[in-house]
């Protein structure tokens, strides 16, 4: 009997570990937006909570933010999750929305549209 319980506990512990590591390494926890393109920031860090946003108004799924376009057309069910916005939005050739505007347009427009979430500089950029 005791052996059986120990066995069950062991299995539960392993399962817990797996779930924990998925959360810890998927990069989708709450935290600060740290796009690698901004090596020297001029504004304070921006806090962002993935999990909260997955339940927020206006968010359909991951691709609401992690979108994919082809020939200028949004591919509705494709997602670019796992890629940084800067991998596409560096805007050197001028035909894509520049990175800072890409962030501001995506975050801010939705907050304005949904009348929820911060819309001022200081509301998003927390001074260190
Ligand atoms: C409301 C917008 C939004 C939604 C919805 C969203 N994300 Fe994100 N996600 C972001 C932003 C912004 C970043 C930070 C991008 C960066 O650092 O370049 C990010 C970063 C990530 C990263 C880390 C990428 C990296 O460069 O390290 C992963 C992985 C990720 N998201 C997965 C997901 C998944 C999976 C979902 C759906 C369950 C999702 N996201 C939904 C906005 C969103
Ligand atoms: C795989 C490449 C790619 C990734 C990754 C990507 N984008 Fe885009 N994005 C595009 C393309 C292409 C367009 C359409 C051309 C344009 O409007 O500049 C676009 C359009 C936009 C637009 C204007 C249209 C709209 O949907 O509102 C915003 C805002 C935007 N992106 C923000 C972001 C943000 C923020 C991220 C990161 C969470 C991101 N993008 C990640 C390629 C990408
Ligand atoms: C498609 C819609 C949408 C997009 C895109 C979006 N948000 Fe939000 N956000 C919301 C909504 C809705 C709320 C309010 C949720 C609530 O109060 O329940 C919110 C709330 C917030 C809050 C307040 C959280 C709190 O705990 O009060 C912060 C900070 C935030 N968003 C940051 C961001 C950032 C940074 C981005 C861009 C990377 C972003 N959001 C993109 C819809 C969006
Ligand atoms: C809804 C949220 C939101 C609002 C409002 C907002 N920002 Fe941002 N901003 C972001 C996010 C997200 C990034 C990307 C941050 C990163 O990767 O470090 C960013 C990046 C920046 C950057 C480039 C990175 C840096 O720190 O140098 C500047 C500059 C900036 N914002 C200035 C402003 C100014 C000025 C305002 C007010 C007019 C403003 N932002 C309002 C979310 C916001």
């Amino acid at each position: 009997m005791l052996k059986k319980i120990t066995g069950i506990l062991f299995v539960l512990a392993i399962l817990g570990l797996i779930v924990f590591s998925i959360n810890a390494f998927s990069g989708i926890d709450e935290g600060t937006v740290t796009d690698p393109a901004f090596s020297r920031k001029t504004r304070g860090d921006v806090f962002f909570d993935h999990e909260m946003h997955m339940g927020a108004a206006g968010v359909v799924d991951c691709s609401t933010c992690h979108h994919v376009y082809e020939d200028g057309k949004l591919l509705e069910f494709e997602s670019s999750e796992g890629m940084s916005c800067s991998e596409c939005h560096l805007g050197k050739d001028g035909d894509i929305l520049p990175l800072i505007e890409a962030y501001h347009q995506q975050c801010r427009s939705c907050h304005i549209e949904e009348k929820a979430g911060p819309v001022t500089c200081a509301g998003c950029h927390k001074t260190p």
Side-chain angles (χ1 to χ4, degrees):
M1 184 61 189
L2 193 62
K3 220 174 177 179
K4 202 169 172 190
I5 291 177
T6 319
I8 290 170
L9 282 179
F10 182 73
V11 170
L12 283 179
I14 294 289
L15 279 178
L17 242 143
I18 292 172
V19 169
F20 176 77
S21 35
I22 289 172
N23 273 327
F25 299 115
S26 59
I28 61 168
D29 292 342
E30 57 186 88
T32 304
V33 180
T34 44
D35 196 299
F38 301 123
S39 49
R40 274 193 302 142
K41 296 196 197 193
T42 57
R43 290 273 161 170
D45 285 343
V46 179
F47 182 77
F48 180 71
D49 183 339
H50 259 99
E51 208 168 281
M52 184 279 278
H53 274 89
M54 288 319 290
V59 177
V60 178
D61 59 23
C62 310
S63 67
T64 300
C65 302
H66 298 286
H67 51 214
V68 178
Y69 281 82
E70 198 177 82
D71 302 327
K73 280 216 177 85
L74 181 69
L75 301 184
E76 231 169 300
F77 301 105
E78 302 267 326
S79 162
S80 56
E81 72 208 42
M83 281 175 83
S84 282
C85 310
S86 57
E87 284 181 63
C88 298
H89 282 283
L90 274 183
K92 284 193 203 94
D93 43 8
D95 60 355
I96 189 156
L97 196 64
L99 187 61
I100 296 183
E101 284 164 46
Y103 274 112
H104 289 161
Q105 198 168 308
Q106 185 170 88
C107 311
R108 213 168 155 271
S109 321
C110 183
H111 292 168
I112 290 172
E113 210 162 286
E114 302 296 338
K115 297 187 174 66
V119 295
T120 60
C121 311
C124 282
H125 294 276
K126 299 294 177 197
T127 33

